[in-house]
Amino acid sequence: MASRGDPVRIALIYPAVLGTYGDGGNALVLTERLRWRGIDAETVAVEIDQPLPAQADLYVLGGGEDSAQTLAVSRLSDGALKAAAERGAPVFAVCAGFQILGESFLEGTGAVHAGLGLIDCTTDRLEGPRAVGELLTNSTIGVGALTGYENHGGRTNLGPSAEPLGVVRDGVGNGTLGVDGAVQGSLVATYLHGPALARNPTLADHLLGMVVGTLAPVDDAEADELRQERFAAVQTARRTGRWRWRRQWRPPARSGPPTS
Amino acid sequence: MTSARYALARAAGSTAAGLSRLTGRGDGTTVGGRITLAMDPQALERAAAGRDFALVSGTNGKSTTRTFLVAALSTIGPVVSNAGGANLPTGLTAALTRDPQTQRGVLEVDEPFLPSVITAVRPRVAVLLNLSRDQLDRYAEVRRLAEIWRDALQAPTAPVAVANCDDPLVTWAAIDSPTPIWVAAGQRWHDDTSVCPACGGVLVRDGEDWSSDCGLRRPTPDWRAEGGAVIGPDGKGHAVELALPGQVNVGNAAMAAAAAGVWLVPAAASLTAMAAISSVEGRYLRTEYAGQPVRLLLAKNPAGWTEALTMVPPEQADVVVAVNARAADGRDPSWLWDVPFELLRGRRAVATGERSRDVALRLRYAGVEYTRVDNPAAALRKAAAGGPVEVLANYTAFQTYRRVVSDG
Ligand SMILES: [Zn+2]
């Protein structure tokens, strides 16, 4: 894409209410990865009492608690995020942020709450306890294995307009059909914390590529080392069954090592 | 349940505690308490009966505030307490059965257990410090904790709540209790409290004041921690010169002074007793390693880490960042990204602990120069080669460093 005068603007949506699991780190990762390449970039933190900037280049939403989720969706119903998605701006959403982009989700009380309707999915409750632990998937968008940590009680059913982001190798993910997350147009969503973009730099660069085009390679030694460690941890846990008691649902077994 | 059964349970508990100490598996407190409680579920209630207690709970500062309050109350007589961080009902039972005589006690209580311990112990005072995220893979929602506290504090027989009114969650938990005492103890960590705990609406902040449309707002404090002083309900300020670092500990001292005030201990006497405390179970401990001064700082969650990073002295000292992710730490170290490690820019850091790779990745994005060393002793030696060292560690990593420095 053409060179640009203004810095790339990463809008971090409501970090104080949708930032419960370090997901604000996703915005830091996106911004720094552009700067490492000499591309001017800035994170714009949008608090709950501020309007969403209409012209940000990329929007990031994180996880949050039930009450925060309901509050966030009421503020985001003003149409600004919908307009951004319709003009093709990438939106990356994690966990509770993922759920509110769907057609509906459950409040803490169990009541069904309307979502923003930007992703064709609905979220209800997993049967049994929360899904807590390492989550490992193979991405469906060509960015390799995705690693992170999940911590949610929601079960998300994708409709026909949404594709999964990953096929679950270990963990729960959406809790249906052995997949995690969703991809629909320029929206990408997942249950991975870690933060997801710190632990999966190829996914970060995929999102950035949608904004600035082809990116020069960067040194990801730290992330590579951490990824190898987490892959090995999942293998060990699977072998010993040490974490199995924490799962009420397991994906169908698949064989072979992670694809990257 | 007969008292003979209680006596038997108590005896069995102390035998197990002795065995556990002998086999080197800790100080035995929890094992002993567990056996006593298993044999007699009312053991805690029986052990506490007829005594006079303050409970201390909250995400951060429990041990320090307990230690402060023990010092303050010791000015008027002996005090039994649960030293050593054994703050589950098992640990409390063990501490009280070990000392059946002392009339007055200060017990720190793990947050989710506060209601059941209030029921069992019937304390005179409950000191409520703060509520923020800690180990979310075990306790799903902070607000839920505030809710169960609130239920426990509304009964007419509820203890006097000495509550931090700078924390909206704590305030909501205590505001309908019979006779709350409000302490402006400070809250630097606002991220868990932008949503009103009462109505789910936006919480508006204006300076130290905060309020919500539903009517919940910061009560007028009876006690205040302000700069280096604690101001009592009579408006009198007392300069505090604590041996422990950080503004957060002035806040803890204000909480403890307010609680001791319920026993009519004068603020000046309380604060003098607290000033002498220089370390709490190894926390803030100043020692030496490889010929260099070393200080150990414990931080268990984003709020605690943010405080600890502000306690690192301005003069050049290398910093060891040690992070594990065992069950006691919380299995998910994602919180590293909620902590402003950017504050360490310009210093050299050493990343270590079982999750040193997560630390290294975080430091890379924070722009902090670092080396990663797996072995904790080697990591400390590496840092000490450059001069004085500050060790910042989370819960189990901190226990490791207490051993490392005591082994020299
Ligand atoms: Zn309210």
Side-chain angles (χ1 to χ4, degrees):
Chain A
M1 274 172 214
S3 72
R4 28 186 314 145
D6 294 336
V8 176
R9 296 174 75 209
I10 316 285
L12 176 59
I13 299 179
Y14 309 154
V17 299
L18 292 177
T20 304
Y21 301 85
D23 297 320
N26 287 324
L28 173 68
V29 167
L30 291 168
T31 304
E32 288 300 310
R33 295 184 73 78
L34 288 172
R35 289 178 181 164
W36 292 352
R37 292 162 162 123
I39 299 171
D40 196 7
E42 63 183 23
T43 297
V44 182
V46 186
E47 293 301 347
I48 192 97
D49 51 355
Q50 297 172 329
L52 207 62
Q55 291 306 321
D57 295 288
L58 208 156
Y59 296 80
V60 182
L61 299 94
E65 300 183 351
D66 290 337
S67 53
Q69 207 173 356
T70 315
L71 180 61
V73 83
S74 73
R75 299 281 158 154
L76 289 172
S77 300
D78 65 1
L81 190 62
K82 185 165 189 274
E86 277 166 359
R87 73 176 155 81
V91 178
F92 180 64
V94 178
C95 201
F98 172 19
Q99 295 177 5
I100 65 174
L101 295 186
E103 299 292 339
S104 69
F105 61 91
L106 293 191
E107 292 176 13
T109 58
V112 177
H113 195 293
L116 297 172
L118 305 182
I119 293 181
D120 184 12
C121 69
T122 59
T123 299
D124 54 15
R125 284 259 181 283
L126 289 168
E127 287 163 24
R130 291 171 74 85
V132 179
E134 293 282 329
L135 173 58
L136 177 62
T137 74
N138 281 343
S139 76
T140 59
I141 56 170
V143 296
L146 298 175
T147 162
Y149 197 92
E150 64 182 327
N151 187 344
H152 59 100
R155 177 179 67 179
T156 300
N157 307 278
L158 298 185
S161 304
E163 296 290 330
L165 172 64
V167 175
V168 174
R169 298 182 42 78
D170 205 278
V172 175
N174 293 357
T176 52
L177 303 174
V179 297
D180 170 63
V183 180
Q184 186 170 337
S186 59
L187 286 77
V188 178
T190 178
Y191 275 109
L192 293 162
H193 301 287
L197 300 184
R199 274 167 70 157
N200 303 286
T202 52
L203 180 58
D205 285 355
H206 172 84
L207 293 166
L208 292 173
M210 292 163 71
V211 178
V212 298
T214 310
L215 287 156
V218 291
D219 172 19
D220 278 312
E222 291 88 351
D224 292 343
E225 272 199 53
L226 176 60
R227 287 167 64 80
Q228 293 313 316
E229 176 197 286
R230 297 331 296 159
F231 294 155
V234 168
Q235 297 281 358
T236 306
R238 187 185 294 161
R239 214 165 37 237
T240 61
R242 191 159 56 87
W243 290 350
R244 197 158 298 185
W245 62 274
R246 299 216 272 187
R247 305 273 161 73
Q248 87 295 347
W249 182 91
R250 289 181 68 77
R254 291 182 178 81
S255 52
T259 52
S260 90
Chain B
M1 201 80 47
T2 64
S3 57
R5 180 161 181 188
Y6 171 59
L8 184 64
R10 217 175 80 186
S14 26
T15 309
L19 280 173
S20 168
R21 272 191 297 273
L22 280 176
T23 54
R25 288 168 54 194
D27 73 350
T29 317
T30 306
V31 175
R34 192 175 294 153
I35 289 173
T36 309
L37 268 182
M39 292 180 68
D40 176 1
Q42 259 86 54
L44 179 56
E45 199 173 331
R46 289 164 192 277
R51 301 205 240 181
D52 188 17
F53 288 103
L55 306 183
V56 179
S57 196
T59 310
N60 285 306
K62 283 188 287 289
S63 297
T64 303
T65 308
R66 176 184 55 73
T67 307
F68 279 169
L69 185 50
V70 168
L73 291 180
S74 295
T75 61
I76 56 167
V79 179
V80 58
S81 190
N82 58 328
N87 57 20
L88 304 181
T90 47
L92 307 184
T93 306
L96 295 186
T97 49
R98 213 164 36 204
D99 176 354
Q101 303 302 332
T102 305
Q103 274 304 299
R104 201 171 291 125
V106 180
L107 302 173
E108 70 171 83
V109 183
D110 199 35
E111 302 88 276
F113 293 95
L114 184 66
S116 59
V117 174
I118 286 177
T119 306
V121 167
R122 306 221 154 275
R124 187 193 298 218
V125 169
V127 181
L128 313 172
L129 299 170
N130 49 64
L131 283 171
S132 72
R133 277 178 286 146
D134 193 10
Q135 306 174 8
L136 268 190
D137 58 341
R138 289 199 313 186
Y139 306 130
E141 291 203 9
V142 191
R143 185 184 171 279
R144 177 74 193 132
L145 282 177
E147 198 167 18
I148 63 169
W149 281 17
R150 186 175 160 78
D151 290 345
L153 293 167
Q154 282 190 14
T157 55
V160 173
V162 173
N164 180 1
C165 62
D166 289 332
D167 186 317
L169 282 162
V170 166
T171 301
W172 180 62
I175 201 155
D176 290 328
S177 72
T179 47
I181 295 174
W182 301 110
V183 184
Q187 187 204 33
R188 295 223 196 128
W189 180 258
H190 291 169
D191 284 15
D192 294 329
T193 50
S194 333
V195 181
C196 173
C199 69
V202 183
L203 210 56
V204 180
R205 288 179 188 275
D206 176 16
E208 57 183 12
D209 205 14
W210 54 263
S211 63
S212 158
D213 281 345
C214 69
L216 183 69
R217 65 178 312 135
R218 179 177 184 262
T220 307
D222 302 296
W223 293 72
R224 280 179 293 148
E226 241 179 55
V230 169
I231 299 157
D234 54 4
K236 243 198 252 166
H238 304 270
V240 193
E241 286 180 20
L242 299 173
L244 297 189
Q247 182 61 28
V248 66
N249 282 325
V250 180
N252 291 336
M255 296 291 297
V262 176
W263 278 270
L264 306 177
V265 180
S270 287
L271 293 165
T272 304
M274 297 176 211
I277 292 161
S278 61
S279 121
V280 177
E281 283 149 24
R283 297 163 207 193
Y284 312 107
L285 181 71
R286 286 176 189 283
T287 179
E288 265 198 10
Y289 192 83
Q292 292 293 343
V294 170
R295 185 168 66 165
L296 301 186
L297 290 170
L298 169 70
K300 292 186 287 190
N301 44 54
W305 276 90
T306 303
E307 291 291 352
L309 285 169
T310 63
M311 287 176 196
V312 174
E315 67 267 27
Q316 278 302 321
D318 283 14
V319 175
V320 173
V321 179
V323 172
N324 290 351
R326 300 187 194 178
D329 303 305
R331 296 280 187 193
D332 176 14
S334 294
W335 55 264
L336 285 169
W337 296 77
D338 288 328
V339 176
F341 282 100
E342 287 76 8
L343 290 169
L344 295 179
R345 273 185 204 159
R347 294 172 191 273
R348 276 174 312 195
V350 179
T352 188
E354 290 158 7
R355 297 305 290 265
S356 63
R357 291 176 180 86
D358 293 80
V359 175
L361 184 61
R362 176 68 188 94
L363 293 176
R364 164 90 186 274
Y365 278 100
V368 177
E369 188 193 330
Y370 77 91
T371 31
R372 193 180 69 77
V373 179
D374 276 317
N375 180 282
L380 184 50
R381 266 198 306 279
K382 166 101 188 155
V389 183
E390 299 276 319
V391 176
L392 276 61
N394 71 343
Y395 191 68
T396 65
F398 184 85
Q399 307 307 331
T400 303
Y401 269 105
R402 284 184 73 181
R403 284 196 298 277
V404 167
V405 297
S406 69
D407 295 348

